[in-house]
Structure formats: structure tokens, C-alpha cells
């Protein structure tokens, strides 16, 4: 199975305290999407994302990124279609970003880096009853990736940006309500790439159907600057800016990246 082999990860990170034994090896994420090597698959359906802003609960700094969490005890936020055979439920979204606008995304397109990347994390609620269960299983998770580019200010994102100063330090949590995650999707969600991969943070399990949007969204330099004002550290520690919270790229190892468009 995907989790049978183990190897020692040598990458160091605030969240990856020392060498860490992780599962897997053959289908890790993130990857570079080499556009000419992607394969068009006419069987790929349009994605159907249905979100209820009322289920938004809180925002927290987990010491690696900030997470906006949703009530996932019922099927109020679902993702279907696309490459997915089952129904998936949103539990949280978060971002990865760089210290400058020249890098920060986890995935790349023809080696092109973006200043940030959004991840909307969903788990398979047809087959599993809890996120924690789905995380360990093949086909347990579906994550939508959206690239952020610097341009004009993103109105939807601003409500989130305004909440960030309250969770500057690691482990801080504040209530956060009525946020529609759909407002962070690009206008065209029918064009995407998809491949089988892993979580990009511990537990790094190879349980993820990745759906990476072709279209990016635009945010302002000032909005990204507020992301960079967050801290990896708690109030007692020497301040360390939360930047460059992305994993290094992983080998494709014979996998195919499919595209929903030509
Ligand atoms: C898992 O992977 C982690 C998230 C982590 C994403 O969903 O969840 C767990 O391990 C809980 C069992 O971590 C948490 O939710 C903290 C408890 O998200 C982050 O750490 C924020 C970057 C990472 O998913 S990803 O592959 O989309 N980057
Ligand atoms: Zn992520």
C-alpha cells in the first residue's frame, strides 16, 4: 500500500522538528507541472464545489501557516465531479507563500514559481467518517490548489487579511464567521490539472487527489505583506517571520498529470 515503505526525511523546517520518518516515497507532492507532458483526459468532468459560508468557524496560526476551518460534521461544503468518484467535504483552507514575490508556491508550472498558493482541503465523506481516518487512506483527500499572483487587490480575501493581526503568533485562534471559500476560486474552475500525490506537510500521506487550477487569482502586494507579518513563533520565542512555508518539489516517479482542457 501507499504507506508501507518508510524513509527518513532530511528536510528541516519549523514544523519538521529534526529528521522525521515518513510514509511513502513514490507519489509525494508538490511537483512541477510540465505542461507539454500533461495528458488531456476527455473523461474529466467539470468540478462542482458547493460551499456554505455559515459553516466557517475559526482561523488559527498553527506555526506553519494559517488555517481557516469549517464545520465538517455534515455535508454542507462539498466537492464533486472533476477526477473524483466520491463526494468530498471541506475541512480547512490555508496558504503557502514566500518572503518575496519571486517564489512561494508549492506547485510550479513549467518551472514557473508563483508568490503564493491556496489549498482547499477536502476529505472523502462517502467512504470515511472523520478527516483523521481519510488522511491515512488512498483516495481519502482531495485538495484544490490555486496560484496567487500579485496584481490588483482581492476584495474577497481582504476580510481574511483583516483578521490576520489577531493571530500573529503561533497557536493563536480567533473566531471567524461567514466566509465563503468559493470567493477564492478563479472564475474558470473547469480548466485544471490533476494527479495522485501526498500532503505536503506531516503526515505526508499519499492520500491526495490534487486538483491544480490553471487560472490564478490576483491579490495585492499589500495583502501578501500581511501574510508575511505572521510569525512562526509564539509570544515567548525570538520572532521569526512566517515566510517560505512551502515544501521542496518532489520527483514525479512515472506519474501522469492529466489536464481537463486542451
Ligand atoms: C493535513 O495536511 C494536516 C494539516 C496540514 C495539511 O491536512 O492535518 C493534520 O495532519 C491533522 C491530522 O495540518 C493541520 O491541520 C494542523 C493540525 O495543514 C497545514 O499544516 C497548513 C499548511 C497540509 O495539507 S496540504 O498538503 O494541502 N499542504
Ligand atoms: Zn498546503
Amino acid at each position: 500500500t501507499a504507506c508501507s515503505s518508510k524513509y527518513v526525511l532530511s528536510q528541516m523546517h519549523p514544523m519538521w522538528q529534526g529528521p522525521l520518518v515518513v510514509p511513502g516515497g513514490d507519489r509525494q507532492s508538490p511537483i512541477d507541472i510540465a505542461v507539454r507532458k500533461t495528458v488531456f483526459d476527455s473523461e474529466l468532468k467539470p468540478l462542482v464545489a458547493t460551499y456554505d459560508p455559515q459553516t466557517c468557524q475559526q482561523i488559527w496560526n498553527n506555526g506553519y501557516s494559517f488555517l481557516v476551518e469549517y464545520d465538517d460534521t455534515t455535508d454542507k461544503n462539498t466537492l464533486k465531479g472533476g477526477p473524483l468518484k466520491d463526494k468530498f467535504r471541506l475541512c480547512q483552507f490555508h496558504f503557502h507563500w514566500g518572503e518575496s514575490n519571486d517564489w512561494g508556491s508549492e506547485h510550479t508550472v513549467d518551472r514557473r514559481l508563483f508568490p503564493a498558493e491556496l489549498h482547499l482541503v477536502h476529505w472523502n465523506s462517502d467512504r470515511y467518517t472523520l478527516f483523521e481516518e481519510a488522511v491515512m487512506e488512498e483516495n481519502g483527500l482531495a485538495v484544490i490548489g490555486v496560484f496567487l499572483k500579485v496584481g490588483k487587490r482581492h476584495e474577497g480575501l481582504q476580510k481574511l487579511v483583516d483578521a490576520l493581526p489577531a493571530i500573529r503568533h503561533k497557536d493563536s485562534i480567533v473566531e471567524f464567521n461567514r466566509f465563503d471559500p468559493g470567493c477564492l476560486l478563479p472564475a474558470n474552475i473547469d480548466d485544471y490539472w490533476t494527479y495522485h500525490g501526498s500532503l505536503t506537510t506531516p503526515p505526508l500521506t499519499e492520500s491526495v487527489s490534487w486538483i491544480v487550477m490553471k487560472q490564478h487569482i490576483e491579490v495585492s502586494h499589500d495583502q501578501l505583506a500581511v501574510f508575511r507579518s505572521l510569525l512562526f513563533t509564539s509570544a515567548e520565542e525570538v520572532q521569526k517571520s512566517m515566510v517560505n512555508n512551502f515544501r521542496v518539489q518532489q520527483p514525479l516517479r512515472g506519474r501522469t498529470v492529466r489536464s481537463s482542457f486542451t
Side-chain angles (χ1 to χ4, degrees):
T1 70
C3 299
S4 57
S5 63
K6 294 202 190 275
Y7 67 99
V8 177
L9 194 84
S10 57
Q11 184 178 0
M12 287 293 287
H13 223 281
M15 185 160 173
W16 318 51
Q17 291 171 358
L20 184 78
V21 178
V22 299
D26 284 335
R27 41 177 282 195
Q28 289 286 299
S29 296
I31 57 161
D32 175 53
I33 297 167
V35 173
R36 283 179 48 222
K37 290 187 184 159
T38 63
V39 176
F40 169 63
D41 183 350
S42 61
E43 305 279 281
L44 287 171
K45 311 256 175 342
L47 269 180
V48 185
T50 313
Y51 297 132
D52 175 6
Q54 304 289 349
T55 58
C56 185
Q57 291 183 318
Q58 59 189 25
I59 179 169
W60 70 292
N61 176 334
N62 78 342
Y64 187 70
S65 181
F66 66 88
L67 285 80
V68 179
E69 300 192 305
Y70 287 78
D71 171 11
D72 65 352
T73 56
T74 60
D75 265 335
K76 284 197 172 146
N77 298 300
T78 58
L79 181 66
K80 292 188 291 194
L84 309 172
K85 303 212 163 34
D86 298 320
K87 175 162 53 37
F88 289 70
R89 208 180 268 181
L90 179 75
C91 54
Q92 52 108 333
F93 70 80
H94 62 267
F95 299 81
H96 303 263
W97 61 91
E99 64 183 303
S100 86
N101 295 339
D102 295 334
W103 63 81
S105 64
E106 295 208 302
H107 290 92
T108 55
V109 179
D110 288 338
R111 298 273 166 211
R112 178 177 174 200
L113 308 156
F114 294 83
E117 184 173 333
L118 160 67
H119 289 157
L120 295 134
V121 182
H122 308 74
W123 55 274
N124 189 331
S125 63
D126 276 341
R127 292 219 235 164
Y128 308 107
T129 50
L130 287 173
F131 170 78
E132 287 74 11
E133 201 187 327
V135 159
M136 302 310 297
E137 306 296 333
E138 183 98 8
N139 201 28
L141 305 177
V143 183
I144 298 181
V146 181
F147 297 117
L148 276 64
K149 256 185 76 174
V150 173
K152 51 178 191 302
R153 188 175 117 121
H154 192 293
E155 286 312 320
L157 184 72
Q158 189 56 39
K159 190 186 161 199
L160 204 59
V161 167
D162 289 337
L164 294 183
I167 55 151
R168 191 155 175 255
H169 291 100
K170 177 178 171 14
D171 298 327
S172 40
I173 307 188
V174 294
E175 199 178 309
F176 191 65
N177 303 122
R178 289 185 291 277
F179 187 84
D180 179 9
C183 82
L184 298 175
L185 292 173
N188 176 6
I189 63 165
D190 292 334
D191 292 356
Y192 57 83
W193 295 286
T194 183
Y195 77 97
H196 296 297
S198 74
L199 290 171
T200 66
T201 69
L204 299 172
T205 43
E206 297 179 328
S207 51
V208 183
S209 293
W210 277 97
I211 300 165
V212 179
M213 291 295 153
K214 181 192 177 203
Q215 228 180 46
H216 60 260
I217 60 168
E218 266 186 33
V219 306
S220 70
H221 176 85
D222 291 355
Q223 290 180 313
L224 273 187
V226 181
F227 284 24
R228 296 181 187 122
S229 74
L230 292 171
L231 301 171
F232 280 136
T233 47
S234 56
E236 311 81 60
E237 296 172 289
V238 179
Q239 287 193 7
K240 208 165 174 295
S241 296
M242 183 177 280
V243 293
N244 303 333
N245 55 355
F246 50 86
R247 187 186 191 195
V248 298
Q249 292 209 326
Q250 303 295 310
L252 196 55
R253 296 212 195 278
R255 285 174 289 178
T256 302
V257 178
R258 292 179 292 157
S259 70
S260 68
F261 60 96
T262 49

